Amino acid sequence: MTALPDDWPHLLPTEGWTLADIESLPEGSPMEVIDGVLIVNPSPLPFHQRISRRISNLLEASLPADWQVEMDVDVLLAKEPLTYLTPDVVVFDGTLPLTTHPIPCEAILLVVEVVSKGSRVQDRATKPFAYAEAGIPHYWRVETRQSGALATTVHTYRLGAEGYERTGEHTGRLVTDSPFAVDIALDRLTD
């Protein structure tokens, strides 16, 4: 984990965080900003990272040629007030160079968030609202629960006139044509 400078509390902006503030932090700082308010995230558990990696790999196998997918890349949703997030998985314009930082919201087709114990409110409410407000066409939320056997559910959404509209709740298998054809056995995410 990247260490912050000893005097970091004195570096906190009084008018809300800006893109320049975020860019001045050490690379790899686990921080996001919503409406200028800094959110410090703990490092994800290996289980969370495995799900993110596997869904990213499975999406990549299905992607049309004009899109690309990456994990844990920073996206810029708004400059004023700053909203700057790091979704677990991002599908974005295939012509965008991989040196682009942050990924602009206009280039994003789909964001996927994997819910953790510490991210439930953000992944279910705050982040989808921010993604919808930025005009990102599709949002997926991956949830796991232990009730005897481990079960994974993927909630899929498409942007509508009033925000995200639910397009499906997938358990066992994720089969959809929106935003592109995907057929994923969900037990492959956690086995």
Side-chain angles (χ1 to χ4, degrees):
M1 185 161 119
T2 306
L4 292 173
D6 291 335
D7 62 346
W8 75 270
H10 305 291
L11 303 174
L12 297 177
T14 57
E15 299 296 320
W17 286 75
T18 66
L19 188 55
D21 296 326
I22 293 298
E23 289 173 342
S24 71
L25 294 173
E27 187 174 341
S29 296
M31 309 213 184
E32 296 178 305
V33 179
I34 295 179
D35 287 339
V37 177
L38 184 70
I39 300 165
V40 180
N41 298 308
S43 297
L45 294 173
F47 180 71
H48 175 278
Q49 290 303 85
R50 175 171 289 176
I51 293 171
S52 297
R53 179 175 41 83
R54 287 184 175 173
I55 200 163
S56 178
N57 291 343
L58 292 165
L59 285 174
E60 187 169 40
S62 301
L63 277 179
D66 49 345
W67 297 101
Q68 57 189 328
V69 62
E70 292 299 334
M71 292 175 39
D72 298 321
V73 293
D74 297 329
V75 301
L76 179 61
L77 302 180
K79 287 185 180 179
E80 292 291 327
L82 182 65
T83 299
Y84 183 97
L85 297 174
T86 308
D88 294 315
V89 178
V90 181
V91 174
F92 58 100
D93 185 335
T95 64
L96 206 62
L98 290 179
T99 55
T100 304
H101 184 262
I103 304 294
C105 61
E106 302 82 24
I108 299 171
L109 176 65
L110 165 69
V111 292
V112 180
E113 292 287 0
V114 178
V115 177
S116 298
K117 188 163 45 168
S119 72
R120 291 182 313 233
V121 171
Q122 288 180 14
D123 293 342
R124 292 177 183 161
T126 309
K127 287 184 176 184
F129 181 82
Y131 295 139
E133 194 172 56
I136 294 176
H138 299 272
Y139 173 72
W140 293 359
R141 187 180 75 241
V142 180
E143 304 229 14
T144 56
R145 69 182 175 349
Q146 186 84 39
S147 56
L150 186 64
T152 302
T153 302
V154 178
H155 304 268
T156 58
Y157 301 86
R158 177 183 52 240
L159 190 59
E162 300 295 319
Y164 284 121
E165 299 168 350
R166 181 185 295 260
T167 57
E169 182 174 311
H170 308 267
T171 303
R173 191 161 210 93
L174 169 58
V175 179
T176 185
D177 288 328
S178 181
F180 48 87
V182 174
D183 186 346
I184 299 172
L186 295 178
D187 61 350
R188 292 184 63 196
L189 300 180
T190 57
D191 63 2

